[in-house]
Amino acid sequence: MNHRQTLPQRRALLSSVLASLALALPMAAHAEYPERPVRVIVPFAAGAAADSAMRVVGKRMGELLGQSVVIEARPGVPGIQAAAIAAPDGYTLLLGAGSAMVTHPLLNSKLPYDPIKDFVPVGRILINVPILTVHPSTNVKTIKELLALAKAKPKALNYSSSGMGSPNHLAVEMLEDMSGTSMIHVPYKGAAPSVVDLVAGHVQLGINAIPSVAGQIKSGKLVPLGVASAKRSRLLPDVPTIAEAGVPGFEYEIWYALFAPAKTPSAAVAKASAALQTALRDPAVQAALLEQGAEPAPTTSQELASYMQQDITKWRRLIKERNLQLE
């Protein structure tokens, strides 16, 4: 057998070897991800509830990934936009809230980002369970009593929220839609002042995340009627869901999840997602989140994509039917 090769044969062999190496290098790079710290942009102020929760989860994720997970607080739309245009290499992730990734884009077509086109889901992190409370002066003790009062006196009851298009505003819009009631929306600039005026009796009701009203419920300054989630909260197990207390099918959750810029390699997304899910099943992480008033709620990337699509369908219908806009 002749082992000698012609020059064209040697060139063809060299080209084949180089092509194989070129294909192998990206695969090797993905297999080694992450090789440096991973940044998570949090579009909330440092010290906010979402920021605190992400720091707990990020610390454990870093231990699992073998690299630090650095939390960078960049409040508002600029933070989301910065994540959208970051290099799609798995080293920049975004903590996205359901409001920013679902309802705000439906309310405002002028946002400088598209959550579907600009991001790929990594996995859900947690949910904050909202609770419907009323001021004691209403003399209302149950959901059915509240709805009966609202129907007997349309637009007589006022409810507070942290602003137009906020989660607690939309939650009451959903309640009105499903119960056939009509109340007056009183928007505030933030959750704190809206709760302050609810406790003072300047408005009669509101739907807020449990941590923001837990103290007032315990002291008797607010009366809890029902939680908005599909299941009872572990934080207040004796409070029924709104669905079981009088509005069948009612379900609303405030959720947070991790996202990566679009075109991030699937291998990097999968590895980050696996670390996230493992971190959220750690008893110490779960205990820390529950202490903050958050419910760990891990999902895969695919499960989050499906969950978001269901959320988009639900809110698109409500926003269109009730002619809600936020510009």
Side-chain angles (χ1 to χ4, degrees), residues 10-223:
R10 288 197 296 272
R11 285 176 174 169
L13 178 60
L14 180 59
S15 296
S16 176
V17 171
L18 290 174
S20 297
L21 286 172
L23 288 172
L25 282 173
M27 293 175 65
H30 295 340
E32 294 166 2
Y33 169 87
E35 295 180 306
R36 62 179 191 271
V38 176
R39 174 179 65 152
V40 177
I41 294 179
V42 175
F44 302 94
D51 176 76
S52 299
M54 189 64 242
R55 290 179 189 278
V56 170
V57 177
K59 182 175 184 297
R60 183 67 183 119
M61 281 184 68
E63 293 168 355
L64 294 165
L65 290 170
Q67 292 287 347
S68 298
V69 172
V70 180
I71 310 303
E72 181 181 327
R74 298 188 65 173
V77 170
I80 300 172
Q81 197 173 8
I85 63 175
D89 54 12
Y91 289 96
T92 297
L93 303 175
L94 170 73
L95 175 66
S99 54
M101 307 306 281
V102 172
T103 54
H104 284 177
L106 292 173
L107 289 163
N108 184 359
S109 60
K110 297 180 180 179
L111 287 176
Y113 67 91
D114 184 320
I116 303 301
K117 293 180 180 178
D118 294 339
F119 294 98
V120 58
V122 175
R124 191 175 60 187
I125 300 173
L126 60 87
I127 60 172
N128 280 328
V129 178
I131 186 168
L132 171 60
T133 61
V134 295
H135 191 268
S137 64
T138 61
N139 294 317
V140 165
K141 303 296 183 184
T142 68
I143 294 283
K144 289 183 178 179
E145 290 177 359
L146 174 67
L147 298 182
L149 178 60
K151 289 177 180 179
K153 298 180 178 181
K155 295 189 180 297
L157 294 174
N158 299 322
Y159 70 93
S160 64
S161 83
S162 55
M164 290 292 296
S166 63
N168 40 16
H169 167 216
L170 295 177
V172 180
E173 290 277 358
M174 180 188 289
L175 179 65
E176 290 179 300
D177 183 67
M178 294 182 69
S179 63
T181 56
S182 181
M183 296 175 275
I184 299 297
H185 178 214
V186 183
Y188 289 78
K189 292 183 178 180
S194 74
V195 171
V196 167
D197 268 16
L198 173 57
V199 172
H202 300 311
V203 295
Q204 286 77 52
L205 68 140
I207 295 181
N208 297 281
I210 288 177
S212 64
V213 292
Q216 290 84 354
I217 291 172
K218 187 175 181 180
S219 66
K221 293 178 180 178
L222 292 176
V223 180

Side-chain angles (χ1 to χ4, degrees), residues 230-301:
K231 298 186 297 184
R232 294 194 182 198
S233 170
R234 286 185 279 183
L235 299 170
L236 293 171
D238 294 332
V239 179
T241 67
I242 293 175
E244 67 181 320
V247 189
F250 187 94
E251 180 183 355
Y252 183 66
E253 297 171 335
I254 301 170
W255 57 267
Y256 296 87
L258 271 188
F259 295 84
K263 299 182 181 179
T264 297
S266 58
V269 171
K271 195 162 185 180
S273 182
L276 173 63
Q277 293 171 65
T278 301
L280 288 169
R281 292 189 178 96
D282 185 306
V285 171
Q286 292 186 346
L289 292 178
L290 287 169
E291 189 176 346
Q292 294 180 13
E295 299 263 5
T299 69
T300 64
S301 172

